[in-house]
Amino acid sequence: MVMVLDKCIGCHTCSLACKNVWTDREGQEYAWWNNVETRPGVGYPKTWENQDKYGGGWVLEDDKLRLRLEKDKHYKPPSLNDYYNPFDYDYEQLFTQEILDQQPSADPLDMYSREKIDIKWGPNWDDDLAGADVIAPHDPNWNGIDKQIYLNFKDVFMFYLPRICNHCLNMACAPACPRKAVYKRPEDGIVLIDQNSCRGYRFCGIACPYKKIYYNWKTGKSEKCIFCFPRVETGQPPACTLSCVGKIRYVGVVLYDETRVPEAAKAPEDQLVKAHRELILDPFDPQVIKEARDAGVPENFIKAAQESPVYYMFKKWELALPLHPEFRTLPMVFYVPPLNPVITVLDRNNKYSADYNSIIPAIDKLRIPIRYLANMFAAGNEEEVRKSLKRLLAIREFFRRIEVEGQSKAEAAAVLSEHGLTVNDADMMYRWLALGRNRWVIPTSKKELRVTLTRRGKGPGMGGRQRG
Amino acid sequence: MRTSFEALVLSILLGITLAISLTVGPLVTGQAPDVTAKYVAGNLVQDAQTAMKDVAVEYKTGLTAQQIVYPLSDPGSAEISYNVMHNGTHIAFYIKWKDETKDMPIGDVIDQFPDAVAIQFPVFKGELPYVCMGNTQNPVNIVMWKSNTGAEALVSASAYGRGQVQREALQMFESRTRPIHTAPPEDQIWYSDAYYDNGEWMVVLIRPLGSTSPLTPSLEPGSTTSIVFAVWDGAKDERGGLKKTSGWLTVELEQAAAPAEATTQTVTQTSTVTVTAPGKGGVPGWFVEFAVVIIVLLALAVVYLLARKG
């Protein structure tokens, strides 16, 4: 999946769709398999990116990957205090209150005890930078930035960060489970927890650096985002994607070289994004197609891989980036970093307009510090972020030259070629990013795949390696 | 030249012998039982609070931190006191151990773990299973009591703890299956009660002697079985492999002194099913393995003599 952060309006419709479909039940009240955070902020659970506290992900030592959890087994699973105390409202009060001058109100109730509570935190408490002066300094992504500058009113910035399970290629959750209950489906890469095998030990939840595994206190087992696999199998997008108001989510198949996953996960930090991209194969390469066929990948998956927005945005155009690649799990949800807000300046006529002449050189003067985005999406490698942002600006500049300045496509294409793009790329980007057409290309799945895809190697998937 | 050839032959054969010795594992022998499950006429004490006061715990066993498989426990030890008795129809385990904190997470608690105790039995008669929860050829039956959910019967059958290298060295090529299952409903035959007082747990676990399920071993007065204990301290986040365990202990059930009468209200299944390990026919497993060792040793001697002649 790719999420284009500039388009996220923070409406939480995705979270509610997911909640209504999957977790609106006892034991999962606090669980938001899909959540939307405001950045800068501490997220959900609080400061989940701080692995010194939570113990998630892999650590590279002597060219070997070790679970951080294995190095120190005293990490604890997050508590409700780290997430939030789930609450409901006493709606009955709206009907039974005596008539007053002010509007009736409904007191919050603890969802478990049904007693009145004082709400002190929620899954999106830092929404729209609410209380940013208190909360935002605790965001773990300030490394290398004078955060005080960005907490001043005139310099403050914000964007939304929707999150689901990343269905990683090099999962930390699966090897952490002594019961082998966590597994990755070879046919589509979806990571699942076998509820018959899970014994509720919560090692997986500690090992997941994204804190996207939720213990169900009612069943005594852990649960997670299932990428709406019953929908995906029938060619439909996950509920979060379908319901997305901003049309920010893109779903597609990628073919990747499974045998190189461990090598990619061990790349130097500043090379992790590059190594991750190199795993993804060109679905038009005859050799790749042949090997995919030999491995039992059906034709509709190969065709879908050729039309996949994920392939184009992550691999071909290098617009999308993985969330915290330094955790070394090779996450398969990617983010197109935000340009927001668009730079405007007063022009000669004292009107606000885009400073298109300097728009590309001004990339380092964007409101959101490049360093902040690099800390979040590129293990600190600012060049990866710059490359993505420059291409996003180039496409805007290209269409501006045509629409505003009346240049021909051929004339305007100079700005594209400067950044390694073609007119065809620009047209495709326009259809996907601006118009939001064909945002998901999902082949229907066949149960037989589980049998035929036995050998390791190039497999299809929005993920894909099965351990053990 | 001859000397090095002899050394080669010797080392190969010794290697084979060692591998086979490791493979056969511990054997059930005629040694004196570690524990005697005394026969008592009439009702077994079911109430844990009463048991804490009235049931004498005759046996003590030291438990050590599990240090074989991931995730490794902190080094440490514990001791349980216990008694085992039967009344001809049911068998009761009275287990007492010290635990400074009563850890019983109930309700919407997601970061705490319960105190727990478990008893492991071999499913089949004959060779004892691997002590760390059996393997696919020789599974174990487990009753696990947790402070928050009570007793649950489990079946474990895959020696999940052994790494691939260890498994191959021990010729354990069976495919890895789910390491542990909740046993089917017909195997959920355990009654449990627990009482915590003054830094000490008393857990009572009672089941019928007989079993109609092949996954639950039948126990008969006059026979011997084997057990392993394990305890978990929730306050130390112990769960799964983070636990303290004993080794195999043999338990002999005293002969019933008089015709048995059903005296407890736990379950009504009392019929007996005798199960032997699959593929071993009527010959005890230990006999086969002993014979293999002897044959290999004889082969070693013959080859050595031939080598000397040559």
Side-chain angles (χ1 to χ4, degrees), chain A residues 30 69-70 73-74 76-80 83 112 175-176 178-180 194 197 199-203 206 215 217, chain B residues 70-74 107-113 133 144 146 152 154 160 176 178-180 182 237 239-240 242:
Chain A
Y30 76 100
L69 162 71
E70 215 175 351
K73 59 185 165 290
H74 301 293
K76 286 180 75 72
S79 67
L80 277 188
Y83 289 100
Y112 179 68
R179 296 290 173 234
K180 307 294 171 207
D194 180 343
S197 299
R199 300 279 302 159
Y201 297 157
R202 284 156 272 180
F203 292 116
I206 297 172
Y215 177 67
W217 55 263
Chain B
Y70 163 86
L72 301 180
S73 305
D74 285 333
D108 60 344
V109 179
I110 59 170
D111 62 334
Q112 292 170 27
F113 298 92
M133 300 172 68
M144 183 171 187
K146 291 181 186 172
E152 180 185 30
L154 307 164
Y160 73 96
R176 190 178 291 192
R178 278 188 200 134
I180 190 162
T182 300
D237 290 342
R239 75 279 199 196
L242 302 178

Short mmCIF file of all heavy atoms in Angstrom, two decimals, chain A residues 30 69-70 73-74 76-80 83 112 175-176 178-180 194 197 199-203 206 215 217, chain B residues 70-74 107-113 133 144 146 152 154 160 176 178-180 182 237 239-240 242:
data_model
loop_
_atom_site.label_atom_id
_atom_site.label_comp_id
_atom_site.label_asym_id
_atom_site.label_seq_id
_atom_site.Cartn_x
_atom_site.Cartn_y
_atom_site.Cartn_z
N TYR A 30 -9.75 -0.78 22.79
CA TYR A 30 -8.65 0.18 22.70
C TYR A 30 -7.91 0.06 21.36
O TYR A 30 -7.05 0.89 21.06
CB TYR A 30 -7.66 -0.04 23.84
CG TYR A 30 -6.77 -1.25 23.63
CD1 TYR A 30 -5.47 -1.09 23.15
CD2 TYR A 30 -7.22 -2.54 23.86
CE1 TYR A 30 -4.65 -2.20 22.93
CE2 TYR A 30 -6.42 -3.64 23.63
CZ TYR A 30 -5.14 -3.46 23.17
OH TYR A 30 -4.34 -4.54 22.94
N LEU A 69 14.23 -7.43 21.10
CA LEU A 69 13.59 -8.15 22.21
C LEU A 69 14.46 -9.29 22.73
O LEU A 69 14.46 -9.61 23.92
CB LEU A 69 12.26 -8.71 21.69
CG LEU A 69 11.56 -9.82 22.43
CD1 LEU A 69 10.99 -9.30 23.73
CD2 LEU A 69 10.42 -10.37 21.57
N GLU A 70 15.22 -9.89 21.81
CA GLU A 70 16.06 -11.03 22.19
C GLU A 70 17.28 -10.55 22.98
O GLU A 70 17.81 -11.27 23.82
CB GLU A 70 16.52 -11.73 20.91
CG GLU A 70 16.64 -13.21 21.04
CD GLU A 70 17.00 -13.83 19.69
OE1 GLU A 70 16.97 -13.12 18.65
OE2 GLU A 70 17.31 -15.00 19.69
N LYS A 73 15.22 -9.17 27.24
CA LYS A 73 13.86 -9.73 27.29
C LYS A 73 12.97 -9.01 28.31
O LYS A 73 11.87 -9.45 28.60
CB LYS A 73 13.91 -11.21 27.59
CG LYS A 73 14.58 -11.55 28.88
CD LYS A 73 14.70 -13.05 29.05
CE LYS A 73 15.67 -13.42 30.14
NZ LYS A 73 17.06 -13.12 29.80
N HIS A 74 13.47 -7.92 28.89
CA HIS A 74 12.68 -7.27 29.93
C HIS A 74 11.76 -6.18 29.41
O HIS A 74 11.14 -5.47 30.18
CB HIS A 74 13.61 -6.72 31.01
CG HIS A 74 14.43 -7.81 31.63
ND1 HIS A 74 13.86 -8.81 32.39
CD2 HIS A 74 15.75 -8.10 31.56
CE1 HIS A 74 14.81 -9.66 32.77
NE2 HIS A 74 15.96 -9.26 32.28
N LYS A 76 8.47 -4.67 28.14
CA LYS A 76 7.08 -5.04 28.47
C LYS A 76 6.15 -4.66 27.32
O LYS A 76 6.44 -3.72 26.58
CB LYS A 76 6.63 -4.28 29.72
CG LYS A 76 7.24 -4.79 31.02
CD LYS A 76 6.75 -3.98 32.20
CE LYS A 76 5.32 -4.31 32.56
NZ LYS A 76 5.17 -5.62 33.20
N PRO A 77 5.05 -5.37 27.19
CA PRO A 77 4.07 -4.92 26.19
C PRO A 77 3.47 -3.59 26.63
O PRO A 77 3.42 -3.29 27.83
CB PRO A 77 3.02 -6.03 26.20
CG PRO A 77 3.25 -6.85 27.40
CD PRO A 77 4.63 -6.59 27.91
N PRO A 78 3.00 -2.78 25.67
CA PRO A 78 2.39 -1.51 26.05
C PRO A 78 1.15 -1.72 26.92
O PRO A 78 0.46 -2.75 26.77
CB PRO A 78 2.02 -0.87 24.72
CG PRO A 78 2.55 -1.74 23.66
CD PRO A 78 2.98 -3.03 24.24
N SER A 79 0.89 -0.76 27.76
CA SER A 79 -0.28 -0.85 28.64
C SER A 79 -1.40 0.04 28.10
O SER A 79 -1.19 0.81 27.16
CB SER A 79 0.10 -0.40 30.04
OG SER A 79 0.40 0.99 30.01
N LEU A 80 -2.55 -0.04 28.72
CA LEU A 80 -3.65 0.85 28.32
C LEU A 80 -3.27 2.31 28.56
O LEU A 80 -3.76 3.20 27.88
CB LEU A 80 -4.93 0.52 29.09
CG LEU A 80 -5.78 -0.62 28.53
CD1 LEU A 80 -7.10 -0.69 29.27
CD2 LEU A 80 -6.04 -0.46 27.04
N TYR A 83 -1.65 3.28 25.38
CA TYR A 83 -2.66 3.51 24.33
C TYR A 83 -3.61 4.60 24.84
O TYR A 83 -3.33 5.76 24.71
CB TYR A 83 -3.41 2.21 24.02
CG TYR A 83 -2.57 1.18 23.29
CD1 TYR A 83 -2.00 0.12 23.98
CD2 TYR A 83 -2.38 1.27 21.93
CE1 TYR A 83 -1.23 -0.82 23.32
CE2 TYR A 83 -1.61 0.33 21.26
CZ TYR A 83 -1.04 -0.72 21.95
OH TYR A 83 -0.29 -1.64 21.29
N TYR A 112 -15.15 -0.44 29.88
CA TYR A 112 -15.16 -1.73 30.57
C TYR A 112 -16.06 -1.68 31.81
O TYR A 112 -16.97 -2.47 31.96
CB TYR A 112 -13.74 -2.13 30.95
CG TYR A 112 -13.68 -3.44 31.69
CD1 TYR A 112 -14.00 -4.63 31.05
CD2 TYR A 112 -13.31 -3.49 33.04
CE1 TYR A 112 -13.97 -5.84 31.73
CE2 TYR A 112 -13.27 -4.69 33.71
CZ TYR A 112 -13.60 -5.86 33.06
OH TYR A 112 -13.58 -7.06 33.73
N PRO A 175 9.20 -14.10 13.95
CA PRO A 175 10.22 -14.87 14.65
C PRO A 175 10.19 -14.70 16.17
O PRO A 175 10.74 -15.52 16.89
CB PRO A 175 11.54 -14.32 14.08
CG PRO A 175 11.21 -13.02 13.47
CD PRO A 175 9.77 -13.10 13.05
N ALA A 176 9.52 -13.65 16.65
CA ALA A 176 9.44 -13.45 18.10
C ALA A 176 8.44 -14.40 18.74
O ALA A 176 8.46 -14.60 19.94
CB ALA A 176 9.05 -12.01 18.42
N PRO A 178 7.11 -17.70 19.95
CA PRO A 178 7.58 -19.07 20.18
C PRO A 178 6.60 -20.11 19.66
O PRO A 178 6.95 -21.26 19.46
CB PRO A 178 7.69 -19.17 21.70
CG PRO A 178 7.53 -17.81 22.24
CD PRO A 178 6.81 -17.01 21.21
N ARG A 179 5.36 -19.70 19.47
CA ARG A 179 4.33 -20.65 19.04
C ARG A 179 4.16 -20.68 17.53
O ARG A 179 3.30 -21.37 17.02
CB ARG A 179 2.99 -20.29 19.69
CG ARG A 179 3.01 -20.42 21.19
CD ARG A 179 3.09 -21.88 21.59
NE ARG A 179 3.29 -22.00 23.02
CZ ARG A 179 4.29 -22.68 23.58
NH1 ARG A 179 5.19 -23.29 22.85
NH2 ARG A 179 4.38 -22.75 24.89
N LYS A 180 4.95 -19.88 16.82
CA LYS A 180 4.85 -19.81 15.35
C LYS A 180 3.42 -19.50 14.91
O LYS A 180 2.93 -20.02 13.90
CB LYS A 180 5.32 -21.13 14.69
CG LYS A 180 6.68 -21.59 15.14
CD LYS A 180 7.75 -20.65 14.69
CE LYS A 180 9.09 -20.99 15.32
NZ LYS A 180 9.98 -19.85 15.46
N ASP A 194 -2.46 -16.72 13.64
CA ASP A 194 -3.35 -17.88 13.74
C ASP A 194 -3.94 -17.91 15.15
O ASP A 194 -3.24 -18.14 16.13
CB ASP A 194 -2.53 -19.15 13.47
CG ASP A 194 -3.38 -20.41 13.55
OD1 ASP A 194 -4.49 -20.35 14.11
OD2 ASP A 194 -2.91 -21.46 13.07
N SER A 197 -3.32 -20.95 17.31
CA SER A 197 -1.99 -21.20 17.84
C SER A 197 -1.55 -20.17 18.87
O SER A 197 -0.71 -20.44 19.71
CB SER A 197 -0.95 -21.21 16.72
OG SER A 197 -1.25 -22.23 15.80
N ARG A 199 -1.04 -17.98 21.99
CA ARG A 199 -1.27 -18.21 23.42
C ARG A 199 -1.21 -16.91 24.21
O ARG A 199 -1.12 -16.93 25.43
CB ARG A 199 -0.23 -19.19 23.96
CG ARG A 199 -0.23 -20.55 23.29
CD ARG A 199 -1.31 -21.47 23.80
NE ARG A 199 -1.21 -21.71 25.24
CZ ARG A 199 -2.22 -22.14 25.99
NH1 ARG A 199 -3.39 -22.36 25.46
NH2 ARG A 199 -2.04 -22.35 27.27
N GLY A 200 -1.20 -15.80 23.51
CA GLY A 200 -1.28 -14.51 24.19
C GLY A 200 -0.03 -14.10 24.94
O GLY A 200 -0.11 -13.35 25.91
N TYR A 201 1.13 -14.55 24.48
CA TYR A 201 2.37 -14.20 25.19
C TYR A 201 2.79 -12.75 24.96
O TYR A 201 3.57 -12.19 25.70
CB TYR A 201 3.52 -15.10 24.73
CG TYR A 201 3.34 -16.56 25.00
CD1 TYR A 201 4.02 -17.51 24.25
CD2 TYR A 201 2.51 -17.01 26.02
CE1 TYR A 201 3.88 -18.87 24.50
CE2 TYR A 201 2.35 -18.36 26.27
CZ TYR A 201 3.04 -19.29 25.50
OH TYR A 201 2.90 -20.63 25.74
N ARG A 202 2.37 -12.18 23.84
CA ARG A 202 2.65 -10.79 23.50
C ARG A 202 4.11 -10.49 23.14
O ARG A 202 4.53 -9.34 23.15
CB ARG A 202 2.16 -9.85 24.61
CG ARG A 202 0.65 -9.69 24.59
CD ARG A 202 0.08 -9.30 25.92
NE ARG A 202 -0.21 -10.45 26.74
CZ ARG A 202 -0.71 -10.41 27.96
NH1 ARG A 202 -0.97 -9.25 28.49
NH2 ARG A 202 -0.97 -11.51 28.64
N PHE A 203 4.89 -11.51 22.84
CA PHE A 203 6.24 -11.25 22.33
C PHE A 203 6.15 -10.55 20.97
O PHE A 203 6.96 -9.69 20.64
CB PHE A 203 7.03 -12.55 22.19
CG PHE A 203 7.37 -13.21 23.51
CD1 PHE A 203 6.86 -14.45 23.83
CD2 PHE A 203 8.19 -12.58 24.43
CE1 PHE A 203 7.17 -15.06 25.04
CE2 PHE A 203 8.50 -13.17 25.64
CZ PHE A 203 7.99 -14.41 25.95
N ILE A 206 5.60 -6.87 21.35
CA ILE A 206 6.81 -6.14 21.74
C ILE A 206 7.74 -6.03 20.54
O ILE A 206 8.32 -4.97 20.28
CB ILE A 206 7.52 -6.87 22.91
CG1 ILE A 206 6.61 -6.89 24.14
CG2 ILE A 206 8.85 -6.20 23.24
CD1 ILE A 206 7.13 -7.73 25.29
N TYR A 215 -3.27 -6.97 21.88
CA TYR A 215 -3.70 -8.11 22.70
C TYR A 215 -5.19 -7.96 23.00
O TYR A 215 -5.65 -6.88 23.41
CB TYR A 215 -2.89 -8.12 24.00
CG TYR A 215 -3.30 -9.19 24.97
CD1 TYR A 215 -3.09 -10.54 24.67
CD2 TYR A 215 -3.89 -8.87 26.19
CE1 TYR A 215 -3.46 -11.53 25.55
CE2 TYR A 215 -4.25 -9.86 27.08
CZ TYR A 215 -4.06 -11.18 26.75
OH TYR A 215 -4.43 -12.17 27.64
N TRP A 217 -7.85 -8.80 25.47
CA TRP A 217 -7.93 -9.29 26.85
C TRP A 217 -9.10 -10.25 27.04
O TRP A 217 -9.11 -11.04 27.98
CB TRP A 217 -8.03 -8.14 27.87
CG TRP A 217 -9.15 -7.18 27.63
CD1 TRP A 217 -9.08 -5.98 26.99
CD2 TRP A 217 -10.52 -7.33 28.03
NE1 TRP A 217 -10.31 -5.37 26.96
CE2 TRP A 217 -11.22 -6.18 27.59
CE3 TRP A 217 -11.22 -8.32 28.71
CZ2 TRP A 217 -12.58 -6.00 27.81
CZ3 TRP A 217 -12.58 -8.14 28.93
CH2 TRP A 217 -13.25 -6.99 28.47
N TYR B 70 14.45 -20.45 23.24
CA TYR B 70 13.99 -19.08 23.21
C TYR B 70 12.54 -19.02 23.64
O TYR B 70 11.76 -19.86 23.19
CB TYR B 70 14.12 -18.50 21.80
CG TYR B 70 13.31 -17.25 21.58
CD1 TYR B 70 13.84 -16.01 21.92
CD2 TYR B 70 12.00 -17.32 21.10
CE1 TYR B 70 13.09 -14.86 21.76
CE2 TYR B 70 11.25 -16.18 20.95
CZ TYR B 70 11.79 -14.96 21.27
OH TYR B 70 11.03 -13.83 21.12
N PRO B 71 12.11 -18.06 24.43
CA PRO B 71 12.95 -17.06 25.08
C PRO B 71 13.50 -17.59 26.40
O PRO B 71 12.78 -18.20 27.16
CB PRO B 71 11.94 -15.93 25.34
CG PRO B 71 10.63 -16.61 25.47
CD PRO B 71 10.67 -17.86 24.65
N LEU B 72 14.80 -17.37 26.63
CA LEU B 72 15.44 -17.91 27.82
C LEU B 72 15.00 -17.14 29.07
O LEU B 72 14.91 -15.92 29.06
CB LEU B 72 16.96 -17.84 27.68
CG LEU B 72 17.56 -18.60 26.49
CD1 LEU B 72 19.05 -18.43 26.49
CD2 LEU B 72 17.18 -20.07 26.54
N SER B 73 14.81 -17.89 30.14
CA SER B 73 14.43 -17.26 31.41
C SER B 73 15.68 -16.72 32.09
O SER B 73 16.80 -17.14 31.81
CB SER B 73 13.80 -18.29 32.34
OG SER B 73 12.73 -18.92 31.73
N ASP B 74 15.46 -15.82 33.02
CA ASP B 74 16.55 -15.42 33.91
C ASP B 74 16.92 -16.63 34.74
O ASP B 74 16.05 -17.43 35.11
CB ASP B 74 16.08 -14.31 34.86
CG ASP B 74 15.98 -12.98 34.14
OD1 ASP B 74 16.72 -12.81 33.15
OD2 ASP B 74 15.17 -12.15 34.56
N GLY B 107 -10.15 -8.68 33.37
CA GLY B 107 -10.77 -7.52 32.72
C GLY B 107 -9.84 -6.91 31.69
O GLY B 107 -9.01 -7.61 31.09
N ASP B 108 -9.99 -5.60 31.49
CA ASP B 108 -9.27 -4.96 30.38
C ASP B 108 -7.82 -4.64 30.74
O ASP B 108 -7.41 -3.49 30.72
CB ASP B 108 -10.01 -3.71 29.91
CG ASP B 108 -10.16 -2.67 31.01
OD1 ASP B 108 -9.97 -3.03 32.18
OD2 ASP B 108 -10.46 -1.51 30.69
N VAL B 109 -7.08 -5.68 31.02
CA VAL B 109 -5.66 -5.53 31.34
C VAL B 109 -4.88 -6.16 30.20
O VAL B 109 -5.13 -7.31 29.84
CB VAL B 109 -5.31 -6.25 32.67
CG1 VAL B 109 -3.83 -6.10 32.98
CG2 VAL B 109 -6.15 -5.70 33.80
N ILE B 110 -3.94 -5.41 29.61
CA ILE B 110 -3.27 -5.93 28.43
C ILE B 110 -1.77 -6.08 28.60
O ILE B 110 -1.09 -6.54 27.69
CB ILE B 110 -3.56 -5.04 27.19
CG1 ILE B 110 -3.08 -3.60 27.43
CG2 ILE B 110 -5.03 -5.07 26.84
CD1 ILE B 110 -3.11 -2.74 26.18
N ASP B 111 -1.24 -5.67 29.74
CA ASP B 111 0.22 -5.71 29.90
C ASP B 111 0.66 -6.53 31.09
O ASP B 111 1.80 -6.40 31.53
CB ASP B 111 0.78 -4.29 30.01
CG ASP B 111 0.25 -3.56 31.23
OD1 ASP B 111 -0.85 -3.91 31.69
OD2 ASP B 111 0.93 -2.66 31.73
N GLN B 112 -0.21 -7.33 31.65
CA GLN B 112 0.17 -8.14 32.80
C GLN B 112 -0.08 -9.61 32.51
O GLN B 112 -0.87 -9.97 31.65
CB GLN B 112 -0.62 -7.70 34.04
CG GLN B 112 -0.23 -6.31 34.51
CD GLN B 112 -1.18 -5.80 35.58
OE1 GLN B 112 -1.78 -6.56 36.31
NE2 GLN B 112 -1.33 -4.49 35.64
N PHE B 113 0.61 -10.44 33.29
CA PHE B 113 0.54 -11.89 33.05
C PHE B 113 0.14 -12.60 34.34
O PHE B 113 0.50 -12.17 35.44
CB PHE B 113 1.89 -12.40 32.55
CG PHE B 113 2.28 -11.77 31.26
CD1 PHE B 113 3.05 -10.62 31.23
CD2 PHE B 113 1.83 -12.29 30.05
CE1 PHE B 113 3.38 -10.01 30.03
CE2 PHE B 113 2.15 -11.68 28.85
CZ PHE B 113 2.93 -10.54 28.84
N MET B 133 8.27 -30.32 26.33
CA MET B 133 6.98 -30.35 25.66
C MET B 133 6.90 -31.26 24.44
O MET B 133 6.16 -30.99 23.49
CB MET B 133 6.53 -28.92 25.32
CG MET B 133 6.41 -28.09 26.57
SD MET B 133 6.12 -26.36 26.30
CE MET B 133 4.50 -26.37 25.63
N MET B 144 -2.75 -26.92 32.32
CA MET B 144 -2.18 -25.63 32.74
C MET B 144 -3.26 -24.83 33.45
O MET B 144 -4.34 -24.59 32.91
CB MET B 144 -1.67 -24.86 31.53
CG MET B 144 -1.02 -23.55 31.92
SD MET B 144 -0.20 -22.78 30.53
CE MET B 144 0.62 -21.41 31.34
N LYS B 146 -4.14 -21.22 35.09
CA LYS B 146 -3.74 -19.82 35.16
C LYS B 146 -4.64 -19.13 36.18
O LYS B 146 -5.84 -19.43 36.25
CB LYS B 146 -3.91 -19.13 33.80
CG LYS B 146 -2.93 -19.58 32.75
CD LYS B 146 -3.20 -18.79 31.48
CE LYS B 146 -2.37 -19.28 30.32
NZ LYS B 146 -2.77 -18.64 29.06
N GLU B 152 -6.80 -25.60 31.94
CA GLU B 152 -7.04 -25.89 30.52
C GLU B 152 -6.12 -27.05 30.14
O GLU B 152 -4.95 -27.08 30.52
CB GLU B 152 -6.69 -24.66 29.70
CG GLU B 152 -6.90 -24.83 28.21
CD GLU B 152 -6.43 -23.61 27.41
OE1 GLU B 152 -5.47 -22.94 27.86
OE2 GLU B 152 -6.98 -23.36 26.35
N LEU B 154 -3.99 -29.10 27.42
CA LEU B 154 -3.28 -28.78 26.19
C LEU B 154 -2.58 -30.04 25.68
O LEU B 154 -2.28 -30.95 26.45
CB LEU B 154 -2.21 -27.71 26.44
CG LEU B 154 -2.67 -26.43 27.13
CD1 LEU B 154 -1.48 -25.65 27.66
CD2 LEU B 154 -3.45 -25.58 26.13
N TYR B 160 9.24 -27.74 19.77
CA TYR B 160 9.48 -26.50 19.06
C TYR B 160 10.76 -25.84 19.51
O TYR B 160 11.36 -25.05 18.81
CB TYR B 160 8.31 -25.54 19.29
CG TYR B 160 8.31 -24.95 20.67
CD1 TYR B 160 8.86 -23.71 20.91
CD2 TYR B 160 7.78 -25.66 21.72
CE1 TYR B 160 8.88 -23.18 22.19
CE2 TYR B 160 7.79 -25.14 22.99
CZ TYR B 160 8.35 -23.90 23.23
OH TYR B 160 8.38 -23.38 24.49
N ARG B 176 7.65 -29.40 11.31
CA ARG B 176 7.22 -28.65 12.48
C ARG B 176 5.73 -28.38 12.36
O ARG B 176 5.25 -27.87 11.37
CB ARG B 176 7.98 -27.34 12.52
CG ARG B 176 7.78 -26.60 13.81
CD ARG B 176 8.59 -25.36 13.81
NE ARG B 176 10.01 -25.64 13.88
CZ ARG B 176 10.91 -24.71 14.12
NH1 ARG B 176 10.54 -23.47 14.31
NH2 ARG B 176 12.18 -25.01 14.18
N ARG B 178 2.08 -27.06 14.57
CA ARG B 178 1.78 -26.12 15.63
C ARG B 178 2.30 -26.70 16.94
O ARG B 178 1.96 -27.83 17.30
CB ARG B 178 0.28 -25.94 15.75
CG ARG B 178 -0.26 -24.97 14.77
CD ARG B 178 -1.71 -24.72 15.11
NE ARG B 178 -2.39 -24.19 13.96
CZ ARG B 178 -3.57 -24.62 13.55
NH1 ARG B 178 -4.18 -25.58 14.17
NH2 ARG B 178 -4.13 -24.07 12.50
N PRO B 179 3.09 -25.97 17.65
CA PRO B 179 3.73 -26.57 18.81
C PRO B 179 2.77 -26.95 19.91
O PRO B 179 2.99 -27.92 20.61
CB PRO B 179 4.68 -25.47 19.30
CG PRO B 179 4.77 -24.50 18.18
CD PRO B 179 3.50 -24.59 17.44
N ILE B 180 1.73 -26.20 20.06
CA ILE B 180 0.85 -26.50 21.19
C ILE B 180 -0.59 -26.23 20.78
O ILE B 180 -0.89 -25.27 20.09
CB ILE B 180 1.28 -25.67 22.42
CG1 ILE B 180 0.56 -26.14 23.66
CG2 ILE B 180 1.10 -24.19 22.21
CD1 ILE B 180 1.23 -25.70 24.93
N THR B 182 -4.73 -26.27 22.15
CA THR B 182 -5.71 -26.49 23.20
C THR B 182 -6.34 -27.84 22.88
O THR B 182 -6.72 -28.10 21.73
CB THR B 182 -6.79 -25.39 23.17
OG1 THR B 182 -6.13 -24.14 23.38
CG2 THR B 182 -7.82 -25.61 24.25
N ASP B 237 6.66 -11.11 34.54
CA ASP B 237 6.28 -11.23 33.13
C ASP B 237 6.57 -12.62 32.58
O ASP B 237 6.89 -12.79 31.40
CB ASP B 237 7.00 -10.18 32.26
CG ASP B 237 6.50 -8.78 32.53
OD1 ASP B 237 5.40 -8.65 33.10
OD2 ASP B 237 7.20 -7.81 32.20
N ARG B 239 5.80 -16.00 31.03
CA ARG B 239 4.78 -16.68 30.22
C ARG B 239 5.54 -17.48 29.18
O ARG B 239 6.70 -17.19 28.88
CB ARG B 239 3.79 -15.71 29.59
CG ARG B 239 4.28 -14.90 28.39
CD ARG B 239 5.10 -13.71 28.80
NE ARG B 239 5.19 -12.71 27.75
CZ ARG B 239 6.08 -11.74 27.75
NH1 ARG B 239 6.97 -11.65 28.71
NH2 ARG B 239 6.10 -10.86 26.77
N GLY B 240 4.83 -18.50 28.62
CA GLY B 240 5.49 -19.34 27.62
C GLY B 240 6.74 -19.97 28.19
O GLY B 240 6.74 -20.54 29.29
N LEU B 242 9.29 -18.62 29.43
CA LEU B 242 9.84 -17.95 30.62
C LEU B 242 9.17 -18.59 31.83
O LEU B 242 8.09 -18.17 32.26
CB LEU B 242 9.58 -16.45 30.57
CG LEU B 242 10.12 -15.69 29.36
CD1 LEU B 242 9.74 -14.23 29.43
CD2 LEU B 242 11.64 -15.83 29.30
#
